[in-house]
Amino acid sequence: MGVAGDYIKDLGSTANMSDVQEATNKLLDVNLHENQRSIQMIESASRSEFEHLRVTIGATVPTGFEQTAADEVREKLRSSCKISKDRGKIYFDISVESLAQVHCLRSVDNLFVVVQEFKDYQFKEIKEEVLKDFEELAGKLPWSDPLKVLLNIHDNEVIVGIALTEESLHRRNITHFGPTTLRSTLAYGMLRLCAPQPTDIIVDPMCGTGAIPIEGATEWSNCFHIAGDNNPLAVNRATNNISSLLTKSQIKEGELSWGLPIDTIQWDSCSLPLRTGSVDVIVTDMPFGKRMGSKKRNWNLYPACLMEMSRVCRPGTGRAALLTQDKKCFIKALSGMGHLWRKVHTVWVNIGGLHAAVYLLKRTPQAFVHPSENDGERNSLPRLHCSKIGAGAEDGSTVSASGARMALATTEHRLLVGCHLDPGRVHVRICLCLPASYFRKI
């Protein structure tokens, strides 16, 4: 037994058996403590080594929004980011322990781990020889089991990666698609350009399937989002997408969801039932005039929409991110409103092969005065039927359309008015917009 045996033997000659047993137990406790300490030191060393092990992640993003994606990586993952010369790609390093956090990024379409990079790969002239070279390349890489890999080729640069996403993340929020459904990742980039602040009222007057307001309500849950469209089918799709997202959230969390700070409304985007200067941010995908609408109609639609947006947008602080492929028509409409809108930035994007642009606008401090507004026209506005009880209205009462624009006051508890257009009468939905603290992010 060595030293321990001699120690117990000496004790046995001078003490009774209970003392010997107590000394033995103490010695065992000391040895157990030392063993546990050794194990903890080994685990700590392994964990430290694991934390310092880093991998390079590649991500594809909507073209034109590479800088937006890089900013999100720096903000959420605290990692430096490199924008590739090949448009639509970014790269960043992250510890293996934090690898799962990459799935919290909202601006990326696909993610992959970079296995190896070849800066100056020499391609053969013949296709069959190139394929043979790739087969030999696969045998040189550090893996033993069969894997599905990605090859990103730009000029003579070849990057080999392993996919982290089974399908593109831009489909994450949408289950009911329309003819021109916007990608969620592009919607996030447009919203981020406007830098939403807590309690902001964010409106998409031509929401389609609701990709923009749904993405906004998911990521900026301390704002209130309004999704409106003149097409009842579009409003129905947006409502169904919101319901599907809430159901998916409830299944994931295993508990009842508090919902999202969002509402859907059917309206005319050229005559919004919102109070003048009540909206902080407008983000929308305007008709390109190809699959939806026509180029000819856009020459009347764009000026009317921009004028109405300038009316509801808050002077001095309001901003708008507007996506369109009909750039000529948009610039022409904007040129006549320099006193109301100032162009801050333009992001060029590729939408299904179409060269489009996102225009970031800032509302000037000048107050809105409608050129055709007079008493006679205000008195000729249609009467609105209140379908829900709210402050200042009784169920079944009628108010004028101009009176319906009382909504969205600048107080902490804001009133929101929405319209549902029916043949013969217009229904007004009045609900209480609670402070951001009442909403929970899903």
Side-chain angles (χ1 to χ4, degrees), residues 160-398:
V160 184
I162 301 174
L164 294 176
T165 47
E166 292 182 5
E167 63 176 358
S168 177
L169 298 176
H170 79 262
R171 301 167 64 93
R172 56 179 171 254
N173 295 335
I174 306 300
T175 53
H176 297 74
F177 291 85
T180 58
T181 300
L182 190 69
R183 295 157 63 184
S184 296
T185 47
L186 185 53
Y188 173 86
M190 292 173 65
L191 284 157
R192 191 178 173 98
L193 283 178
C194 294
Q197 301 299 310
T199 73
D200 273 357
I201 302 297
I202 304 177
V203 173
D204 182 353
M206 293 174 274
C207 70
T209 55
I212 293 173
I214 290 174
E215 183 66 25
T218 304
E219 185 68 10
W220 288 276
S221 58
N222 52 7
C223 302
F224 193 81
H225 306 261
I226 311 173
D229 204 288
N230 70 334
N231 189 336
L233 293 177
V235 175
N236 189 50
R237 290 190 193 104
T239 303
N240 288 334
N241 282 324
I242 294 169
S243 299
S244 298
L245 187 62
L246 290 174
T247 301
K248 186 167 63 175
S249 174
Q250 290 174 11
I251 293 172
K252 183 179 178 180
E253 296 183 3
E255 59 183 23
L256 186 64
S257 173
W258 283 57
L260 290 169
I262 186 174
D263 202 0
T264 55
I265 303 168
Q266 186 183 345
W267 59 22
D268 178 0
S269 59
C270 298
S271 183
L272 300 172
L274 301 175
R275 183 179 176 180
T276 298
S278 62
V279 175
D280 299 289
V281 176
I282 297 174
V283 183
T284 196
D285 175 11
M286 302 183 76
F288 287 11
K290 292 185 177 290
R291 288 184 229 172
M292 294 290 291
S294 68
K295 296 275 189 179
K296 185 177 180 180
R297 287 182 58 191
N298 283 352
W299 286 99
N300 294 323
L301 176 66
Y302 277 25
C305 285
L306 278 172
M307 182 65 72
E308 184 66 355
M309 290 177 192
S310 66
R311 182 186 68 79
V312 301
C313 202
R314 199 180 303 280
T317 59
R319 52 262 188 226
L322 309 177
L323 169 65
T324 180
Q325 191 264 339
D326 197 349
K327 301 180 285 294
K328 183 178 179 181
C329 181
F330 183 86
I331 292 298
K332 177 66 176 176
L334 187 64
S335 64
M337 300 183 195
H339 60 297
L340 296 172
W341 291 110
R342 179 174 60 87
K343 188 173 72 169
V344 178
H345 184 50
T346 304
V347 179
W348 303 105
V349 294
N350 188 313
I351 308 291
L354 298 175
H355 187 57
V358 176
Y359 295 96
L360 178 62
L361 308 180
K362 180 74 178 294
R363 181 67 167 84
T364 66
Q366 183 166 329
F368 177 85
V369 178
H370 200 290
S372 62
E373 189 170 2
N374 55 61
D375 293 336
E377 290 187 0
R378 280 199 296 268
N379 292 333
S380 65
L381 289 169
R383 307 299 289 177
L384 306 178
H385 180 80
C386 295
S387 59
K388 287 190 178 181
I389 295 176
E394 296 179 357
D395 194 27
S397 65
T398 60

Side-chain angles (χ1 to χ4, degrees), residues 133-143:
D133 284 350
F134 281 150
E135 289 177 5
E136 293 176 357
L137 174 63
K140 298 176 183 177
L141 294 172
W143 54 49

